[in-house]
Amino acid sequence: MQATDSNALPLIDISGLHSPDPVRRAAVGRELRAACESRGFFYLCNHDIPATLAAQVFDYSERFFAQPVDARLSLDKAHSSCNRGYEPLRGQTLEAGSPPDLKEGFYIGIELNEDDPRVRRGKFNHGPNQWPAELPGFRPTMEAYFSACHALGALVMRGLALSLDLPEDHFDDFTADASATLRLLHYPPQPPNPEPGEKGCGAHTDFGAITLLLQDEAGGLQVRDTETGDWIDAPPVPGAYVVNIGDLIARWTNTRYRSTEHRVINASGRERYSVPFFFTGNPDYLVECLPNCLAPGDAPRFPPVTVEQHIAECYRRTYA
């Protein structure tokens, strides 16, 4: 189906969550509830992440992908025990039965050395990052941005607690020592004669709790309308993030909150760059259906699962 011309994603001002006034904080929670129950996607503004830092992230991302292929492949995540580093073009297939995704990427996570007890125990996605030596400002820029997004992810989770009529600190154990992944993505222009079903990024839902997406001006992100099946364009809005609910939140809320399919088709005729930040949560946290998300007589649709177990299975499916 073709994408619709209008975007129907709400714009939510997150600044109210910093207010000492509980009425203002609760108002943000109500907006989040409406967005999560309908689309599972929304724009988020007044988030306190400096525009200058976001611009530096884009600059270093473009410079990384502009390097010769040998330089990029020297940091191939195949060399990593924890899925960190460069992912070559067509390295992932997010839409089952479709060609591999027409994108290349770079994975960054929380920096842990090989002596860390969690790394020694072989916990999934725990370990050191790979960094491009030829770009000396790359690492401090990405680490600063990672930290800022991590704090924003924890704040959004407090808003989601309010949205579900829970205490604001209900998810604090989940956000403590939370895992997260920063991905730099580069999409070449969609070829004029693509393979059947070929896209920049195939239709999928996100694995974790919430995703904070920074995208350039090329556009191309589309969100499935769960009522009609049509695709809704989600163009960039200056100063705002696109935020979506992932599969963990859907499990937690017994699908009351939607983890919605989305895809990327880069029809801009130019290179596209985007930077998703996947806030995953504490790997040891057990996610099980929230009691207030069960109607009388209903049963949980999903068994309890730890964050680590869930994410490991999602990676297995898309990199098989």
Side-chain angles (χ1 to χ4, degrees), residues 7 9-14 32 41-55 57-58 144-150 152-153 156 182-183 210-216 221 234-244 274-278:
N7 92 73
L9 305 185
L11 176 66
I12 298 177
D13 182 343
I14 201 74
L32 289 170
F41 269 80
F42 53 92
Y43 291 101
L44 182 151
C45 66
N46 293 329
H47 44 71
D48 291 340
I49 296 181
T52 52
L53 179 57
V57 168
F58 272 132
Y145 185 73
F146 190 105
S147 179
C149 286
H150 202 279
L152 179 57
V156 173
L182 175 64
R183 288 183 77 181
I210 53 176
T211 302
L212 308 171
L213 177 67
L214 182 67
Q215 53 177 337
D216 70 4
L221 174 65
V237 172
Y241 282 84
V242 176
V243 181
N244 64 283
S274 70
V275 185
F277 181 84
F278 302 101

Side-chain angles (χ1 to χ4, degrees), residues 56-65 135-138 141-142:
Q56 290 170 347
V57 168
F58 272 132
D59 178 59
Y60 275 110
S61 179
E62 291 185 32
R63 290 166 65 182
F64 174 81
F65 291 115
L135 299 173
F138 183 96
T141 297
M142 298 306 166

Side-chain angles (χ1 to χ4, degrees), residues 226-239:
T226 54
E227 302 299 326
T228 66
D230 292 336
W231 290 99
I232 301 166
D233 286 318
V237 172

Side-chain angles (χ1 to χ4, degrees), residues 4-317:
T4 59
D5 292 332
S6 62
N7 92 73
L9 305 185
L11 176 66
I12 298 177
D13 182 343
I14 201 74
S15 63
L17 292 181
H18 291 297
S19 172
D21 183 355
V23 174
R24 285 193 62 197
R25 300 198 301 275
V28 176
R30 288 193 296 274
E31 289 189 75
L32 289 170
R33 176 168 60 241
C36 294
E37 288 182 342
S38 58
R39 298 291 186 199
F41 269 80
F42 53 92
Y43 291 101
L44 182 151
C45 66
N46 293 329
H47 44 71
D48 291 340
I49 296 181
T52 52
L53 179 57
Q56 290 170 347
V57 168
F58 272 132
D59 178 59
Y60 275 110
S61 179
E62 291 185 32
R63 290 166 65 182
F64 174 81
F65 291 115
Q67 294 183 114
V69 65
D70 287 350
R72 284 173 279 155
L73 286 173
S74 70
L75 300 177
D76 195 318
K77 71 185 186 71
H79 306 320
S80 169
S81 62
C82 55
N83 293 299
R84 307 287 175 79
Y86 175 64
E87 178 181 87
L89 196 68
R90 297 184 174 90
Q92 186 180 36
T93 304
L94 282 168
E95 183 175 341
S98 292
D101 295 344
L102 192 62
K103 70 180 189 311
E104 58 182 338
F106 191 84
Y107 282 76
I108 301 166
I110 294 172
E111 184 74 35
L112 298 174
N113 63 44
E114 299 287 358
D115 293 330
D116 187 284
R118 292 164 290 183
V119 179
R120 285 182 157 184
R121 292 199 304 271
K123 288 187 73 64
F124 185 74
N125 271 6
H126 283 60
N129 291 299
Q130 300 190 79
W131 301 105
E134 299 81 2
L135 299 173
F138 183 96
R139 177 173 179 173
T141 297
M142 298 306 166
E143 288 185 329
Y145 185 73
F146 190 105
S147 179
C149 286
H150 202 279
L152 179 57
L155 179 67
V156 173
M157 289 301 302
R158 292 182 73 86
L160 290 179
L162 289 172
S163 79
L164 291 161
D165 298 319
L166 298 168
E168 285 175 86
D169 63 357
H170 183 84
F171 295 126
D172 282 6
D173 287 343
F174 173 77
T175 61
D177 298 319
S179 293
T181 300
L182 175 64
R183 288 183 77 181
L184 311 178
L185 295 174
H186 167 232
Y187 297 82
Q190 187 79 6
N193 297 301
E195 294 184 39
E198 185 176 45
K199 308 173 191 70
C201 182
H204 67 287
T205 58
D206 285 350
F207 305 158
I210 53 176
T211 302
L212 308 171
L213 177 67
L214 182 67
Q215 53 177 337
D216 70 4
E217 297 175 356
L221 174 65
Q222 298 177 342
V223 177
R224 176 83 77 178
D225 185 317
T226 54
E227 302 299 326
T228 66
D230 292 336
W231 290 99
I232 301 166
D233 286 318
V237 172
Y241 282 84
V242 176
V243 181
N244 64 283
I245 297 304
D247 296 343
L248 272 178
I249 298 294
R251 292 182 71 119
W252 224 336
T253 62
N254 219 33
T255 68
R256 174 181 169 185
Y257 282 9
R258 298 175 182 270
S259 180
T260 306
E261 275 194 324
H262 50 288
R263 67 186 186 182
V264 172
I265 299 177
N266 182 18
S268 66
R270 50 170 276 193
E271 311 295 312
R272 178 184 190 266
Y273 298 88
S274 70
V275 185
F277 181 84
F278 302 101
F279 191 86
T280 305
N282 187 307
D284 298 323
Y285 194 94
L286 186 69
V287 173
E288 50 190 334
C289 183
L290 292 164
N292 65 343
C293 290
L294 280 177
D298 277 357
R301 298 185 182 189
F302 309 96
V305 67
T306 68
V307 171
E308 182 179 24
Q309 290 168 337
H310 170 76
I311 296 299
E313 171 59 20
C314 290
Y315 269 71
R316 186 197 64 77
R317 288 200 310 267

